[in-house]
Amino acid sequence: MIHALPPLPYAADALAPKMSQETLEFHYGKHHQAYVNNLNNLIPGTPYENSSLEEIIVRAEGPIFNNAAQVWNHTFFFYTLSPSPKSMPSGPLAKAIDRDFGSFDQFKEKFAQAATSLFGSGWVWLVADNAGKLSIISEPNAGNPLRKGFRPLLAIDVWEHAYYIDYRNRRPDFIRNFWDLVDWNVIEKRYEQ
Ligand code: MN
């Protein structure tokens, strides 16, 4: 099975200036593509040759896990963003956020705090458990909460390659601008699935 780079759901310049065309050309066009290529080079002759990305993420270790998870994580991340996003959740997801974090603002503050303080490279996730209870999880490197049985709803990539072109070392600025691109329509659909 050959894994493919999914198309971006918007033009490369559509998220500028909050996420520039140059960032997308490198982050999607080079980094995401490289994880796809690495995975396709690694799996022939292994038990993962015909596995879905999700199956690989749950079972594999080492370079195969790292590249499969990075393919999945980046697709999930890019598909959360939109040039015309719904800026706040409503419906069942909004109720769950209020219940589990106190308010939408308190959720954003807690998520941003986790994203700011994650040391080195990694991802911060909003996840749901089987009962629909929400939590925030920080994962180093390619970490993906599917491995712990959670349903991912939202992720921010805090590897330096995600923000260094637009924000240099200012990760908090990247996180602040990230909120203006997050499409809560997408996250509501993931929650209600
Ligand atoms: Mn990345």
Side-chain angles (χ1 to χ4, degrees):
M1 168 159 149
I2 307 290
H3 295 274
L5 181 68
L8 273 185
Y10 35 76
D13 62 354
L15 305 182
K18 295 187 179 276
M19 191 176 287
S20 68
Q21 177 165 352
E22 190 183 3
T23 285
L24 280 165
E25 283 169 358
F26 277 83
H27 197 188
Y28 169 76
K30 305 287 186 194
H31 291 278
H32 197 180
Q33 179 72 66
Y35 296 125
V36 171
N37 296 345
N38 291 342
L39 181 65
N40 285 325
N41 289 331
L42 285 164
I43 54 175
T46 75
Y48 304 109
E49 195 161 3
N50 294 305
S51 304
S52 69
L53 275 182
E54 288 82 1
E55 288 167 340
I56 299 174
I57 287 168
V58 171
R59 297 196 195 119
E61 302 290 343
I64 293 182
F65 166 77
N66 287 336
N67 284 283
Q70 285 293 76
V71 172
W72 195 100
N73 296 357
H74 282 87
T75 302
F76 189 84
F77 173 73
F78 289 128
Y79 276 63
T80 304
L81 309 179
S82 167
S84 50
K86 179 178 179 184
S87 60
M88 282 184 73
S90 57
L93 177 61
K95 287 201 183 81
I97 286 173
D98 287 347
R99 181 195 64 207
D100 296 332
F101 300 104
S103 69
F104 182 54
D105 283 344
Q106 283 177 293
F107 156 72
K108 281 170 72 178
E109 198 175 310
K110 201 174 169 203
F111 188 91
Q113 177 56 34
T116 303
S117 61
L118 194 159
F119 184 77
S121 297
W123 298 80
V124 172
W125 302 83
L126 171 67
V127 300
D129 69 11
N130 287 335
K133 186 181 182 334
L134 304 177
S135 52
I136 293 168
I137 293 185
S138 297
E139 290 279 351
N141 303 315
N144 182 303
L146 290 171
R147 261 171 108 85
K148 296 171 176 166
F150 290 110
R151 197 149 50 91
L153 302 176
L154 166 69
I156 187 167
D157 183 348
V158 296
W159 287 55
E160 280 188 348
H161 70 216
Y163 58 86
Y164 215 81
I165 291 170
D166 294 330
Y167 300 99
R168 297 300 173 191
N169 59 314
R170 302 185 311 275
R171 190 193 286 185
D173 288 356
F174 163 65
I175 297 164
R176 202 165 23 254
N177 284 282
F178 165 79
W179 292 123
D180 294 335
L181 300 173
V182 170
D183 188 356
W184 286 91
N185 266 320
V186 175
I187 301 156
E188 284 169 13
K189 284 193 193 112
R190 289 171 180 162
Y191 185 66
E192 287 164 34
Q193 240 172 30

